[in-house]
Coordinates of all heavy atoms in Angstrom, one line a residue:
A1 N 0.1 21.2 1.2 CA -0.2 22.0 0.1 C -1.8 22.1 -0.1 O -2.2 23.2 -0.5 CB 0.4 21.4 -1.2
T2 N -2.5 21.1 0.3 CA -3.9 21.2 0.2 C -4.4 22.2 1.2 O -5.3 23.1 0.9 CB -4.6 19.8 0.5 OG1 -4.1 18.9 -0.5 CG2 -6.1 19.9 0.3
G3 N -3.9 22.1 2.4 CA -4.3 23.1 3.4 C -3.9 24.6 3.0 O -4.7 25.5 3.2
A4 N -2.8 24.7 2.3 CA -2.4 26.1 1.9 C -3.4 26.6 0.9 O -3.8 27.8 0.9 CB -1.0 26.0 1.3
G5 N -3.8 25.7 0.0 CA -4.8 26.1 -1.0 C -6.1 26.6 -0.4 O -6.7 27.6 -0.8
I6 N -6.5 25.9 0.6 CA -7.8 26.2 1.3 C -7.6 27.5 2.0 O -8.5 28.5 2.0 CB -8.2 25.1 2.2 CG1 -8.6 23.8 1.4 CG2 -9.5 25.5 3.1 CD1 -8.8 22.6 2.2
A7 N -6.5 27.7 2.8 CA -6.2 28.9 3.5 C -6.2 30.1 2.6 O -6.7 31.2 2.9 CB -5.0 28.7 4.4
L8 N -5.5 29.9 1.5 CA -5.3 31.0 0.5 C -6.7 31.4 -0.1 O -6.9 32.6 -0.4 CB -4.4 30.7 -0.6 CG -2.9 30.6 -0.2 CD1 -2.0 30.0 -1.3 CD2 -2.4 32.0 0.2
A9 N -7.6 30.5 -0.3 CA -8.9 30.8 -0.8 C -9.6 31.6 0.2 O -10.4 32.5 -0.1 CB -9.7 29.5 -1.0
G10 N -9.4 31.4 1.6 CA -10.1 32.2 2.6 C -9.5 33.6 2.6 O -10.1 34.6 3.0
L11 N -8.2 33.8 2.2 CA -7.6 35.1 2.2 C -7.8 35.9 0.8 O -7.4 37.0 0.7 CB -6.1 35.0 2.5 CG -5.7 34.4 3.8 CD1 -4.2 34.2 3.9 CD2 -6.1 35.4 4.9
A12 N -8.4 35.2 -0.1 CA -8.5 35.8 -1.5 C -9.3 37.0 -1.5 O -10.4 37.1 -0.9 CB -9.0 34.8 -2.5
A13 N -8.9 38.1 -2.2 CA -9.6 39.3 -2.3 C -10.6 39.3 -3.5 O -11.6 40.0 -3.5 CB -8.7 40.5 -2.5
R14 N -10.3 38.5 -4.5 CA -11.1 38.3 -5.7 C -11.5 36.9 -6.0 O -10.8 36.0 -5.6 CB -10.3 38.9 -6.9 CG -9.9 40.3 -6.8 CD -11.0 41.2 -7.2 NE -10.5 42.5 -7.2 CZ -11.0 43.5 -6.5 NH1 -12.0 43.2 -5.6 NH2 -10.6 44.8 -6.5
L15 N -12.6 36.7 -6.7 CA -13.0 35.3 -7.0 C -12.0 34.5 -7.8 O -11.7 33.3 -7.5 CB -14.3 35.4 -7.8 CG -15.0 34.0 -8.1 CD1 -15.2 33.2 -6.9 CD2 -16.2 34.2 -8.9
W16 N -11.3 35.2 -8.7 CA -10.3 34.5 -9.5 C -9.2 33.9 -8.6 O -8.6 32.9 -8.9 CB -9.8 35.3 -10.7 CG -9.0 36.5 -10.3 CD1 -9.4 37.7 -10.2 CD2 -7.5 36.5 -10.1 NE1 -8.3 38.6 -9.8 CE2 -7.1 37.8 -9.8 CE3 -6.5 35.5 -10.2 CZ2 -5.9 38.1 -9.6 CZ3 -5.2 35.8 -9.9 CH2 -4.9 37.2 -9.6
Q17 N -8.8 34.7 -7.6 CA -7.8 34.3 -6.7 C -8.2 33.1 -5.9 O -7.4 32.1 -5.7 CB -7.4 35.5 -5.8 CG -6.7 36.6 -6.5 CD -6.7 37.8 -5.6 OE1 -7.5 38.1 -4.7 NE2 -5.7 38.7 -5.9
A18 N -9.4 33.1 -5.4 CA -9.9 32.0 -4.8 C -10.0 30.7 -5.6 O -9.6 29.6 -5.2 CB -11.3 32.2 -4.2
A19 N -10.4 30.9 -6.8 CA -10.4 29.8 -7.8 C -9.0 29.2 -8.0 O -8.9 28.0 -8.1 CB -11.1 30.2 -9.2
L20 N -8.1 30.0 -8.1 CA -6.7 29.6 -8.4 C -6.2 28.9 -7.1 O -5.5 27.8 -7.3 CB -5.8 30.8 -8.7 CG -4.4 30.5 -9.2 CD1 -4.4 29.8 -10.5 CD2 -3.6 31.8 -9.4
A21 N -6.5 29.4 -6.0 CA -6.1 28.7 -4.7 C -6.8 27.4 -4.6 O -6.1 26.4 -4.2 CB -6.5 29.6 -3.5
Y22 N -8.0 27.3 -4.9 CA -8.7 25.9 -4.9 C -8.1 25.0 -5.9 O -8.0 23.8 -5.7 CB -10.2 26.1 -5.2 CG -11.0 26.4 -3.9 CD1 -11.8 27.5 -3.8 CD2 -11.1 25.5 -2.9 CE1 -12.5 27.8 -2.7 CE2 -11.8 25.7 -1.7 CZ -12.5 26.9 -1.6 OH -13.3 27.1 -0.5
A23 N -7.8 25.5 -7.1 CA -7.1 24.6 -8.1 C -5.8 24.1 -7.6 O -5.5 22.9 -7.8 CB -6.9 25.4 -9.3
F24 N -5.0 24.9 -6.9 CA -3.7 24.4 -6.4 C -4.0 23.4 -5.3 O -3.4 22.3 -5.2 CB -3.0 25.6 -5.8 CG -1.8 25.2 -5.0 CD1 -0.6 24.8 -5.7 CD2 -1.7 25.3 -3.6 CE1 0.5 24.4 -4.9 CE2 -0.6 24.9 -2.9 CZ 0.5 24.5 -3.6
G25 N -5.0 23.7 -4.4 CA -5.3 22.7 -3.3 C -5.9 21.5 -3.8 O -5.6 20.4 -3.3
G26 N -6.7 21.5 -4.8 CA -7.3 20.4 -5.4 C -6.3 19.5 -6.1 O -6.4 18.3 -6.0
L27 N -5.4 20.1 -6.8 CA -4.3 19.3 -7.4 C -3.5 18.6 -6.4 O -3.1 17.4 -6.5 CB -3.4 20.2 -8.3 CG -2.2 19.6 -9.0 CD1 -2.7 18.5 -10.0 CD2 -1.3 20.6 -9.6
A28 N -3.1 19.3 -5.3 CA -2.4 18.7 -4.2 C -3.2 17.5 -3.6 O -2.6 16.4 -3.3 CB -2.1 19.7 -3.1
D29 N -4.4 17.7 -3.4 CA -5.2 16.7 -2.8 C -5.3 15.4 -3.7 O -5.2 14.3 -3.3 CB -6.7 17.2 -2.5 CG -7.6 16.1 -2.0 OD1 -7.3 15.5 -0.9 OD2 -8.6 15.8 -2.6
G30 N -5.5 15.7 -5.0 CA -5.5 14.5 -6.0 C -4.2 13.8 -6.0 O -4.2 12.5 -6.1
L31 N -3.1 14.5 -5.9 CA -1.8 13.8 -5.9 C -1.6 13.0 -4.6 O -1.1 11.8 -4.6 CB -0.7 14.8 -6.0 CG -0.5 15.5 -7.3 CD1 0.6 16.6 -7.3 CD2 -0.1 14.5 -8.4
E32 N -2.1 13.5 -3.5 CA -2.0 12.8 -2.2 C -2.9 11.5 -2.3 O -2.4 10.5 -1.9 CB -2.5 13.7 -1.0 CG -2.4 13.0 0.3 CD -3.6 12.2 0.7 OE1 -4.7 12.6 0.3 OE2 -3.4 11.1 1.4
V33 N -4.1 11.6 -2.9 CA -5.0 10.4 -2.9 C -4.3 9.4 -3.8 O -4.2 8.2 -3.5 CB -6.3 10.9 -3.3 CG1 -7.2 9.6 -3.8 CG2 -7.1 11.6 -2.3
L34 N -3.8 9.8 -4.9 CA -3.1 8.9 -5.9 C -2.0 8.2 -5.3 O -1.8 7.0 -5.4 CB -2.7 9.7 -7.2 CG -2.0 8.9 -8.2 CD1 -3.0 7.8 -8.8 CD2 -1.5 9.8 -9.3
A35 N -1.1 9.0 -4.6 CA 0.1 8.5 -3.9 C -0.3 7.5 -2.8 O 0.3 6.4 -2.8 CB 1.0 9.6 -3.4
T36 N -1.3 7.8 -2.1 CA -1.7 6.9 -1.0 C -2.3 5.5 -1.5 O -1.9 4.5 -1.0 CB -2.7 7.6 0.0 OG1 -2.2 8.7 0.5 CG2 -3.2 6.7 1.1
R37 N -3.1 5.7 -2.5 CA -3.7 4.5 -3.1 C -2.7 3.6 -3.8 O -2.8 2.4 -3.7 CB -4.9 4.8 -3.9 CG -6.1 5.3 -3.1 CD -7.3 5.6 -4.0 NE -8.4 6.1 -3.1 CZ -9.6 6.1 -3.5 NH1 -9.9 5.7 -4.7 NH2 -10.5 6.6 -2.6
S38 N -1.7 4.3 -4.5 CA -0.7 3.5 -5.1 C 0.2 2.8 -4.1 O 0.5 1.7 -4.3 CB 0.1 4.5 -6.0 OG -0.6 5.0 -7.0
Y39 N 0.5 3.5 -3.0 CA 1.3 2.9 -2.0 C 0.6 1.7 -1.4 O 1.2 0.6 -1.3 CB 1.6 3.9 -0.9 CG 2.4 3.3 0.3 CD1 3.8 3.3 0.2 CD2 1.8 2.8 1.4 CE1 4.5 2.7 1.2 CE2 2.6 2.2 2.5 CZ 3.9 2.2 2.3 OH 4.6 1.7 3.3
L40 N -0.7 1.8 -1.0 CA -1.4 0.7 -0.5 C -1.5 -0.4 -1.5 O -1.4 -1.6 -1.2 CB -2.8 1.2 -0.1 CG -2.9 2.1 1.1 CD1 -4.4 2.6 1.3 CD2 -2.4 1.5 2.4
N41 N -1.7 -0.1 -2.8 CA -1.8 -1.1 -3.8 C -0.5 -1.9 -3.9 O -0.6 -3.1 -4.2 CB -2.2 -0.5 -5.1 CG -2.7 -1.5 -6.1 OD1 -3.3 -2.5 -5.8 ND2 -2.3 -1.3 -7.4
Q42 N 0.6 -1.3 -3.7 CA 1.9 -1.9 -3.9 C 2.3 -2.7 -2.6 O 3.1 -3.6 -2.7 CB 3.0 -0.9 -4.2 CG 2.8 -0.3 -5.6 CD 3.0 -1.3 -6.7 OE1 3.9 -2.1 -6.6 NE2 2.2 -1.2 -7.7
H43 N 1.8 -2.3 -1.4 CA 2.4 -2.9 -0.2 C 1.4 -3.7 0.6 O 1.8 -4.4 1.6 CB 2.9 -1.7 0.7 CG 4.2 -1.1 0.1 ND1 4.0 0.0 -0.8 CD2 5.4 -1.3 0.3 CE1 5.3 0.4 -1.1 NE2 6.1 -0.4 -0.5
V44 N 0.1 -3.7 0.2 CA -0.8 -4.5 1.0 C -1.0 -5.9 0.3 O -1.2 -6.0 -0.9 CB -2.2 -3.8 1.0 CG1 -3.3 -4.7 1.6 CG2 -2.1 -2.5 1.8
P45 N -0.8 -7.0 1.1 CA -1.1 -8.3 0.5 C -2.4 -8.5 -0.1 O -3.4 -8.0 0.4 CB -0.9 -9.3 1.7 CG -0.2 -8.5 2.8 CD -0.6 -7.0 2.5
P46 N -2.5 -9.1 -1.3 CA -3.8 -9.2 -2.0 C -4.9 -9.8 -1.2 O -6.1 -9.4 -1.4 CB -3.4 -10.1 -3.2 CG -2.0 -9.8 -3.5 CD -1.4 -9.6 -2.1
P47 N -4.7 -10.8 -0.3 CA -5.8 -11.3 0.4 C -6.5 -10.3 1.3 O -7.7 -10.5 1.6 CB -5.2 -12.5 1.2 CG -4.0 -12.8 0.5 CD -3.5 -11.5 -0.1
I48 N -5.8 -9.3 1.8 CA -6.6 -8.3 2.6 C -6.7 -6.9 2.0 O -7.1 -6.0 2.6 CB -5.8 -8.2 4.0 CG1 -4.4 -7.7 3.8 CG2 -5.8 -9.5 4.7 CD1 -3.7 -7.2 5.1
A49 N -6.4 -6.8 0.7 CA -6.4 -5.5 0.1 C -7.9 -4.9 0.1 O -8.0 -3.7 0.3 CB -6.0 -5.6 -1.4
G50 N -8.9 -5.7 -0.1 CA -10.3 -5.2 -0.1 C -10.6 -4.6 1.3 O -11.2 -3.4 1.4
R51 N -10.2 -5.2 2.4 CA -10.4 -4.7 3.7 C -9.6 -3.5 4.0 O -10.2 -2.5 4.6 CB -10.1 -5.8 4.8 CG -11.1 -6.9 4.8 CD -10.8 -7.9 5.8 NE -9.9 -8.9 5.1 CZ -9.3 -9.8 5.7 NH1 -9.5 -10.1 7.0 NH2 -8.5 -10.7 5.0
V52 N -8.4 -3.4 3.6 CA -7.5 -2.2 3.8 C -8.1 -1.1 3.0 O -8.2 0.1 3.6 CB -6.1 -2.5 3.4 CG1 -5.3 -1.2 3.3 CG2 -5.5 -3.5 4.3
F53 N -8.5 -1.2 1.8 CA -9.0 -0.1 1.0 C -10.4 0.4 1.5 O -10.7 1.5 1.5 CB -9.1 -0.5 -0.5 CG -7.9 -0.3 -1.2 CD1 -7.0 -1.3 -1.5 CD2 -7.5 1.0 -1.6 CE1 -5.8 -1.1 -2.2 CE2 -6.3 1.2 -2.3 CZ -5.5 0.2 -2.6
A54 N -11.2 -0.6 2.0 CA -12.5 -0.2 2.7 C -12.2 0.5 3.9 O -12.9 1.6 4.2 CB -13.3 -1.5 3.1
L55 N -11.2 0.2 4.8 CA -10.9 0.9 5.9 C -10.4 2.3 5.6 O -10.8 3.4 6.2 CB -9.8 0.2 6.8 CG -9.4 0.8 8.0 CD1 -10.5 1.0 9.1 CD2 -8.2 0.0 8.7
Y56 N -9.5 2.4 4.6 CA -9.0 3.7 4.1 C -10.1 4.6 3.7 O -10.2 5.8 4.1 CB -8.0 3.5 3.0 CG -7.6 4.8 2.3 CD1 -6.8 5.7 2.9 CD2 -8.1 5.1 1.0 CE1 -6.4 6.8 2.2 CE2 -7.8 6.2 0.3 CZ -6.9 7.1 0.9 OH -6.6 8.3 0.3
S57 N -11.0 4.1 2.9 CA -12.1 4.9 2.3 C -13.0 5.3 3.5 O -13.5 6.5 3.6 CB -12.9 4.2 1.3 OG -12.0 3.9 0.2
G58 N -13.3 4.4 4.4 CA -14.2 4.7 5.6 C -13.6 5.8 6.5 O -14.3 6.7 6.9
I59 N -12.3 5.7 6.7 CA -11.7 6.8 7.5 C -11.7 8.1 6.8 O -12.0 9.2 7.4 CB -10.2 6.4 7.9 CG1 -10.3 5.2 8.9 CG2 -9.5 7.5 8.5 CD1 -8.9 4.6 9.2
Q60 N -11.4 8.1 5.5 CA -11.4 9.4 4.8 C -12.8 10.0 4.7 O -12.9 11.2 5.0 CB -10.9 9.1 3.4 CG -10.6 10.3 2.6 CD -10.0 9.9 1.2 OE1 -10.3 8.9 0.6 NE2 -9.1 10.7 0.7
L61 N -13.8 9.2 4.4 CA -15.1 9.7 4.3 C -15.7 10.1 5.7 O -16.4 11.1 5.8 CB -16.1 8.8 3.6 CG -15.7 8.5 2.1 CD1 -16.6 7.3 1.6 CD2 -15.9 9.8 1.3
G62 N -15.4 9.3 6.7 CA -15.8 9.7 8.0 C -15.2 11.0 8.6 O -15.9 11.8 9.2
A63 N -13.9 11.2 8.3 CA -13.2 12.4 8.7 C -13.9 13.6 8.0 O -14.0 14.6 8.6 CB -11.8 12.3 8.5
A64 N -14.1 13.4 6.7 CA -14.8 14.5 5.9 C -16.1 14.9 6.5 O -16.5 16.1 6.7 CB -14.9 14.1 4.4
S65 N -16.9 13.8 6.8 CA -18.2 14.0 7.4 C -18.1 14.7 8.8 O -18.9 15.7 9.1 CB -19.0 12.8 7.5 OG -19.2 12.2 6.3
A66 N -17.2 14.3 9.6 CA -17.0 15.0 11.0 C -16.6 16.4 10.8 O -17.0 17.3 11.5 CB -16.0 14.1 11.7
G67 N -15.7 16.6 9.8 CA -15.2 18.0 9.5 C -16.4 18.9 9.1 O -16.5 20.1 9.5
M68 N -17.2 18.4 8.2 CA -18.3 19.2 7.8 C -19.4 19.5 9.0 O -19.9 20.6 9.0 CB -19.1 18.5 6.6 CG -18.3 18.7 5.3 SD -19.2 18.0 3.9 CE -18.3 16.5 3.7
A69 N -19.5 18.5 9.7 CA -20.5 18.7 10.9 C -19.9 19.8 11.8 O -20.6 20.6 12.3 CB -20.7 17.4 11.7
A70 N -18.6 19.7 12.1 CA -17.9 20.7 13.0 C -18.0 22.1 12.3 O -18.3 23.1 13.0 CB -16.5 20.2 13.3
A71 N -17.8 22.1 11.0 CA -17.8 23.4 10.3 C -19.2 24.0 10.4 O -19.3 25.3 10.4 CB -17.3 23.2 8.9
S72 N -20.2 23.3 10.4 CA -21.6 23.9 10.3 C -21.8 24.7 11.6 O -22.5 25.7 11.5 CB -22.6 22.8 10.2 OG -22.7 22.0 11.3
G73 N -21.2 24.3 12.7 CA -21.4 25.1 13.9 C -20.5 26.3 14.0 O -20.6 27.2 14.8
L74 N -19.4 26.3 13.2 CA -18.5 27.4 13.2 C -18.7 28.4 12.1 O -18.1 29.5 12.2 CB -17.0 26.8 13.0 CG -16.5 26.0 14.2 CD1 -15.2 25.3 13.8 CD2 -16.4 26.8 15.4
L75 N -19.6 28.1 11.2 CA -19.8 29.1 10.1 C -20.3 30.4 10.5 O -19.9 31.5 10.1 CB -20.7 28.5 9.1 CG -21.0 29.3 7.8 CD1 -19.7 29.6 7.1 CD2 -21.9 28.6 6.9
A76 N -21.4 30.4 11.4 CA -21.9 31.7 11.9 C -20.9 32.6 12.6 O -20.8 33.7 12.3 CB -23.2 31.4 12.7
P77 N -20.2 32.0 13.6 CA -19.2 32.9 14.3 C -18.0 33.3 13.6 O -17.6 34.4 13.7 CB -18.9 32.1 15.5 CG -19.2 30.7 15.3 CD -20.3 30.7 14.3
L78 N -17.5 32.5 12.7 CA -16.3 32.8 11.9 C -16.5 33.3 10.6 O -15.7 34.0 10.0 CB -15.5 31.5 11.8 CG -14.9 30.9 13.1 CD1 -14.1 29.6 12.8 CD2 -14.1 31.8 13.9
G79 N -17.6 33.1 9.9 CA -17.9 33.5 8.6 C -17.2 32.5 7.6 O -16.3 31.7 8.0
A80 N -17.5 32.6 6.3 CA -16.9 31.7 5.4 C -15.4 31.9 5.2 O -14.7 30.9 5.2 CB -17.6 31.9 4.0
R81 N -14.9 33.1 5.2 CA -13.5 33.3 5.1 C -12.7 32.8 6.3 O -11.7 32.1 6.2 CB -13.2 34.8 4.8 CG -13.5 35.3 3.5 CD -13.2 36.8 3.4 NE -13.7 37.3 2.2 CZ -12.9 37.4 1.1 NH1 -11.6 37.0 1.1 NH2 -13.3 37.9 0.0
G82 N -13.2 33.1 7.5 CA -12.6 32.6 8.7 C -12.6 31.1 8.8 O -11.6 30.5 9.2
L83 N -13.6 30.4 8.4 CA -13.8 29.0 8.4 C -12.8 28.4 7.4 O -12.1 27.4 7.7 CB -15.2 28.6 8.1 CG -15.5 27.1 8.3 CD1 -15.2 26.7 9.8 CD2 -17.0 26.9 8.1
L84 N -12.7 29.0 6.2 CA -11.7 28.5 5.2 C -10.2 28.6 5.8 O -9.4 27.7 5.6 CB -11.8 29.2 3.9 CG -13.0 28.8 3.1 CD1 -13.1 29.8 1.9 CD2 -12.9 27.4 2.6
L85 N -10.0 29.7 6.4 CA -8.6 30.0 6.9 C -8.3 29.0 8.1 O -7.3 28.4 8.1 CB -8.5 31.4 7.5 CG -7.2 31.9 7.9 CD1 -6.2 31.8 6.7 CD2 -7.2 33.3 8.3
L86 N -9.3 28.8 9.0 CA -9.1 27.8 10.0 C -8.9 26.4 9.5 O -8.0 25.6 9.9 CB -10.4 27.8 10.9 CG -10.3 26.8 12.1 CD1 -9.2 27.1 13.1 CD2 -11.6 26.8 12.8
A87 N -9.7 25.9 8.5 CA -9.6 24.6 7.9 C -8.2 24.5 7.2 O -7.6 23.4 7.3 CB -10.7 24.4 6.9
G88 N -7.8 25.5 6.5 CA -6.5 25.4 5.8 C -5.4 25.4 6.8 O -4.4 24.6 6.6
C89 N -5.4 26.2 7.8 CA -4.4 26.1 8.8 C -4.3 24.8 9.6 O -3.2 24.3 9.9 CB -4.4 27.3 9.8 SG -4.1 28.9 9.0
G90 N -5.5 24.2 9.7 CA -5.6 22.9 10.4 C -4.9 21.8 9.5 O -4.2 21.0 10.0
G91 N -5.2 21.9 8.2 CA -4.5 21.0 7.3 C -3.0 21.2 7.3 O -2.2 20.2 7.2
I92 N -2.6 22.4 7.3 CA -1.1 22.7 7.3 C -0.5 22.1 8.6 O 0.6 21.5 8.6 CB -0.8 24.2 7.2 CG1 -1.2 24.7 5.8 CG2 0.6 24.6 7.5 CD1 -1.3 26.2 5.6
L93 N -1.2 22.4 9.7 CA -0.7 21.9 11.0 C -0.6 20.3 11.0 O 0.3 19.7 11.5 CB -1.5 22.3 12.1 CG -1.2 21.9 13.5 CD1 0.2 22.4 13.9 CD2 -2.2 22.3 14.6
A94 N -1.7 19.7 10.5 CA -1.7 18.2 10.4 C -0.5 17.7 9.6 O 0.1 16.7 9.9 CB -3.1 17.7 9.9
G95 N -0.3 18.3 8.4 CA 0.8 17.9 7.6 C 2.1 18.1 8.3 O 3.0 17.2 8.1
A96 N 2.3 19.2 8.9 CA 3.6 19.4 9.6 C 3.8 18.4 10.7 O 4.9 17.9 10.8 CB 3.6 20.8 10.2
V97 N 2.8 18.1 11.5 CA 2.9 17.1 12.5 C 3.3 15.7 11.9 O 4.1 15.0 12.4 CB 1.6 17.0 13.4 CG1 1.6 15.8 14.3 CG2 1.5 18.3 14.2
G98 N 2.6 15.4 10.8 CA 2.9 14.1 10.1 C 4.3 14.1 9.6 O 4.9 13.0 9.8
C99 N 4.8 15.2 9.1 CA 6.2 15.2 8.6 C 7.2 15.0 9.8 O 8.2 14.3 9.7 CB 6.5 16.5 7.9 SG 5.8 16.6 6.3
L100 N 6.9 15.7 10.9 CA 7.8 15.5 12.1 C 7.8 14.1 12.6 O 8.9 13.5 12.9 CB 7.3 16.5 13.2 CG 7.6 17.9 13.0 CD1 6.9 18.8 14.0 CD2 9.1 18.2 12.8
I101 N 6.6 13.4 12.7 CA 6.5 12.1 13.1 C 7.3 11.2 12.1 O 8.0 10.3 12.6 CB 5.1 11.6 13.2 CG1 4.4 12.3 14.4 CG2 4.9 10.1 13.4 CD1 2.9 12.2 14.5
Y102 N 7.1 11.4 10.9 CA 7.8 10.6 9.8 C 9.3 10.7 9.9 O 10.1 9.8 9.9 CB 7.3 11.0 8.4 CG 8.0 10.2 7.4 CD1 7.7 8.9 7.1 CD2 9.1 10.7 6.6 CE1 8.4 8.2 6.1 CE2 9.8 10.0 5.7 CZ 9.4 8.7 5.4 OH 10.1 8.1 4.4
A103 N 9.8 12.0 10.1 CA 11.2 12.2 10.3 C 11.8 11.6 11.4 O 12.9 11.1 11.4 CB 11.4 13.7 10.3
R104 N 11.1 11.7 12.6 CA 11.5 11.1 13.8 C 11.6 9.5 13.7 O 12.6 8.9 14.1 CB 10.6 11.4 15.0 CG 11.0 10.9 16.3 CD 10.2 11.3 17.4 NE 10.7 10.7 18.6 CZ 10.3 11.1 19.8 NH1 9.4 12.0 19.9 NH2 10.8 10.5 20.9
R105 N 10.6 8.9 13.0 CA 10.7 7.5 12.8 C 11.9 7.1 11.9 O 12.5 6.1 12.0 CB 9.4 6.9 12.3 CG 8.3 6.9 13.3 CD 7.0 6.3 12.7 NE 5.9 6.3 13.7 CZ 4.7 6.0 13.5 NH1 4.4 5.7 12.2 NH2 3.8 6.1 14.4
A106 N 12.0 7.8 10.9 CA 13.1 7.6 9.9 C 14.5 7.7 10.5 O 15.4 7.0 10.2 CB 13.0 8.5 8.7
R107 N 14.6 8.7 11.5 CA 15.9 8.9 12.2 C 16.2 7.7 13.0 O 17.4 7.3 13.2 CB 15.8 10.1 12.9 CG 17.1 10.6 13.5 CD 17.1 11.9 14.2 NE 16.1 11.8 15.3 CZ 15.3 12.8 15.6 NH1 15.4 14.0 15.0 NH2 14.4 12.7 16.5
H108 N 15.2 7.1 13.6 CA 15.5 5.9 14.6 C 15.5 4.6 13.9 O 15.8 3.6 14.5 CB 14.4 5.9 15.7 CG 14.5 7.1 16.5 ND1 15.5 7.3 17.4 CD2 13.7 8.2 16.7 CE1 15.4 8.5 18.0 NE2 14.2 9.0 17.6
R109 N 15.3 4.6 12.6 CA 15.3 3.3 11.8 C 16.7 3.0 11.4 O 17.5 3.8 11.0 CB 14.5 3.5 10.5 CG 14.1 2.3 9.8 CD 13.2 2.5 8.6 NE 12.0 3.1 9.1 CZ 11.2 4.0 8.5 NH1 11.7 4.6 7.4 NH2 10.1 4.4 9.0
P110 N 17.0 1.7 11.5 CA 18.4 1.3 11.1 C 18.8 1.6 9.6 O 17.9 1.6 8.8 CB 18.5 -0.2 11.3 CG 17.2 -0.6 12.0 CD 16.3 0.6 11.9
A111 N 19.9 2.0 9.3 CA 20.3 2.3 8.0 C 20.3 1.1 7.1 O 20.6 0.0 7.6 CB 21.7 2.9 8.0
C112 N 19.9 1.3 5.9 CA 19.9 0.2 4.9 C 21.4 -0.1 4.5 O 22.2 0.7 4.4 CB 19.1 0.5 3.6 SG 17.4 0.8 4.0
R113 N 21.7 -1.4 4.2 CA 23.0 -1.7 3.8 C 23.0 -2.1 2.3 O 22.2 -2.6 1.8 CB 23.5 -2.9 4.5 CG 23.7 -2.4 6.0 CD 24.1 -3.6 6.8 NE 23.9 -3.2 8.2 CZ 24.8 -3.4 9.1 NH1 26.0 -4.0 8.9 NH2 24.6 -3.0 10.4

């Protein structure tokens, strides 16, 4: 959903449409961050929680920095709209691959009794 919001912002014909797309994508991103942190808070043993949250934050911030560095080289050839569309489609693709991996693992997991 976050990727869809970014891609839709790249396709927007008017500023209000881009703002609405960003609002949708931002809400989806906020829900994802909240869900991930809540999951980690509930399932990580307290003695290692600090290390796990530091690793999570480091990966998240490192990926954002790498994405911005890559985007800086693509801005001139693609333009702002093309770059937003590429980034959004990349997010959609990553989410789809993650869903497929999760579904495959869930299918091979023994049933609960």
Side-chain angles (χ1 to χ4, degrees):
T2 303
I6 294 169
L8 288 171
L11 295 172
R14 303 275 185 242
L15 181 60
W16 69 266
Q17 293 168 333
L20 192 61
Y22 272 122
F24 173 75
L27 179 63
D29 179 59
L31 289 172
E32 183 273 327
V33 169
L34 179 65
T36 301
R37 290 185 180 193
S38 295
Y39 179 85
L40 291 174
N41 196 36
Q42 294 293 318
H43 292 89
V44 172
I48 62 167
R51 287 179 275 176
V52 170
F53 277 98
L55 179 63
Y56 167 74
S57 296
I59 290 171
Q60 189 176 34
L61 294 172
S65 296
M68 285 185 253
S72 68
L74 295 173
L75 182 58
L78 296 179
R81 289 179 183 266
L83 193 55
L84 286 171
L85 190 58
L86 179 65
C89 289
I92 292 168
L93 179 62
V97 169
C99 285
L100 290 173
I101 291 169
Y102 178 79
R104 184 175 178 168
R105 286 183 181 172
R107 188 176 56 216
H108 294 292
R109 193 174 297 137
C112 296
R113 295 175 194 229

